Amino acid sequence: MSTGTPLTTKQAFWLEYLQTAAQSGQSLSSYAQAHGLNAKQLYYWSKVLRQRGLHGNKTPSSNLFHKAHIVAQGACRIILPRGVILELDTAPEPAWVAQLLGALS
């Protein structure tokens, strides 16, 4: 939960990187490596800013669902951020997918 106090310059700096990392769909580790950042610091600030209610809230993100496509007749592959791949023998009902994405957000 937010404390109501303004962000420090350092907090704002890391929050901007965390928001951009979330939009990229990459893991924090991959994002840090790609942008020359210290991954431990990125994870630390993710925790600190999440505790303040400024990062990683539980509202569904448009970046949670990366893409889905048919891999074989009737089969389905759902690719989530951070490289998670869910392969199903049959395509699920849209309501099931919505419920899954809601649970993951």
Side-chain angles (χ1 to χ4, degrees):
M1 179 173 285
S2 179
T3 62
T5 57
L7 291 176
T8 65
T9 303
K10 189 177 275 192
Q11 290 169 334
F13 172 85
W14 287 105
L15 181 59
E16 185 174 340
Y17 274 115
L18 288 164
Q19 290 171 336
T20 305
Q23 291 172 350
S24 77
Q26 293 178 290
S27 68
L28 289 182
S29 179
S30 296
Y31 182 85
Q33 184 177 12
H35 291 86
L37 300 169
N38 182 314
K40 288 182 181 181
Q41 286 183 318
L42 195 58
Y43 280 103
Y44 169 80
W45 284 105
S46 175
K47 179 181 176 182
V48 168
L49 295 170
R50 187 174 39 252
Q51 288 172 342
R52 288 196 63 191
L54 298 170
H55 172 67
N57 60 17
K58 290 291 186 180
T59 57
S61 167
S62 61
N63 296 316
L64 177 63
F65 177 75
H66 188 66
K67 65 181 177 177
H69 59 87
I70 303 297
V71 291
Q73 187 65 23
C76 176
R77 176 183 289 160
I78 300 172
I79 303 172
L80 300 169
R82 301 182 185 181
V84 175
I85 300 173
L86 178 62
E87 292 187 2
L88 306 166
D89 291 335
T90 59
E93 294 292 325
W96 181 87
V97 175
Q99 192 174 24
L100 172 66
L101 296 177
L104 293 174
S105 65

